Amino acid sequence: MQQGSRKSNGDGRRSRWSAHREQRRAVLVEAAVEAVLRYGPEVDMAQVAAVAGVSKPVLYRYFADKAELWLAVGEHVAQLVVAEIVPVVARVRAERELVSATIDAYLTAIGANPDLYRFLVHQSGLPGMAHLVANAARTVATELARAVGDRLRALGLDAGPAEPWAYGMVGMVQSVGDWWIRHDRPISRAALTEYLTTLLWHGLEGVRASADLSPLHIQGDARERA
């Protein structure tokens, strides 16, 4: 009984230490995010430590090196962006509204704190950072594909184009959003949202039109042209 009790107490202490460590790491990541907002995307560990109110050795007690902390910050920022977009995709119904709302949610997320986005770009060469960004994009594209597929099926159309179309939309909006932030937002978010919505909406309309053509209809048109 005593051995079992000692083992149970040891497990409990390890569990409490693990929980404390994760909580402490989360606080330090939030401090690092605040440091990025305060000092810009080229923030250093000394500035993070100052914002957190700790010494640099304390940071290294919870993160093996700067790269590990930067990856944790990147993951935090990517989660913030996803958290802004996914609920919007799930909420809207009309197809054009779906396109517009998704684009606007993304531009709002990166435009609200451009230095956080610039931090991701600045650290893009860090091993693992590109993977974090790709995972976030995949999450959004998956939700968007589900929403578009549901719309196509509701119309009695083939939902096959939904996934490649969703990934294409996410890639385009990411690329344009990067241009927008890099050039200090030369046009308004509303204008850029409308430009991209118009471009992408015509693409979705084309998918719907193609899906609406039955094989017999296509074969008949081919015979008439022959």
Side-chain angles (χ1 to χ4, degrees), residues 2-3 9 13 17 23 37 41-43 67 71 77 91 97 107 120 127-128 136 154 157 167 171 173 192 209 213 217:
Q2 290 179 347
Q3 289 180 350
N9 289 338
R13 283 193 295 271
W17 167 245
Q23 291 170 359
L37 295 174
E42 297 184 6
V43 63
L71 280 176
V77 174
R91 189 168 58 243
E97 182 191 354
L107 295 179
L120 289 180
L157 302 176
Y167 273 86
V173 174
L192 185 56
L213 292 174
H217 188 183

Side-chain angles (χ1 to χ4, degrees), residues 63-85:
F63 299 93
D65 52 24
K66 182 171 68 174
E68 185 177 341
L69 176 56
W70 281 180
L71 280 176
V73 173
E75 183 174 9
H76 180 81
V77 174
Q79 288 174 348
L80 290 178
V81 173
V82 170
E84 289 290 329
I85 300 172

Side-chain angles (χ1 to χ4, degrees), residues 9-95:
N9 289 338
D11 290 344
R13 283 193 295 271
R14 282 194 294 272
S15 178
R16 287 192 297 272
W17 167 245
S18 179
H20 168 77
R21 181 177 177 81
E22 287 306 309
Q23 291 170 359
R24 189 60 175 153
R25 278 172 61 95
V27 169
L28 294 174
V29 169
E30 290 178 0
V33 170
E34 178 59 33
V36 173
L37 295 174
R38 187 178 301 183
Y39 296 108
E42 297 184 6
V43 63
D44 59 33
M45 292 290 275
Q47 291 166 327
V48 173
V51 171
V54 300
S55 64
K56 285 174 64 176
V58 170
L59 290 180
Y60 290 117
R61 190 182 304 163
Y62 293 93
F63 299 93
D65 52 24
K66 182 171 68 174
E68 185 177 341
L69 176 56
W70 281 180
L71 280 176
V73 173
E75 183 174 9
H76 180 81
V77 174
Q79 288 174 348
L80 290 178
V81 173
V82 170
E84 289 290 329
I85 300 172
V86 170
V88 172
V89 174
R91 189 168 58 243
V92 297
R93 289 294 176 264
E95 282 95 339

Side-chain angles (χ1 to χ4, degrees), residues 140-203:
V140 173
T142 298
E143 290 299 312
L144 186 60
R146 179 194 54 76
V148 172
D150 288 347
R151 306 299 188 273
L152 291 172
R153 281 187 289 271
L155 294 169
L157 302 176
D158 176 21
E163 189 167 9
W165 185 87
Y167 273 86
M169 174 180 171
V170 169
M172 177 180 288
V173 174
Q174 272 190 316
S175 179
V176 175
D178 181 65
W179 165 85
W180 189 58
I181 294 296
R182 283 179 182 272
H183 290 80
D184 294 322
R185 292 169 285 181
I187 62 176
S188 71
R189 188 187 80 243
L192 185 56
T193 297
E194 181 58 28
Y195 293 159
L196 287 172
T197 299
T198 299
L199 176 62
L200 290 166
W201 173 242
H202 285 302

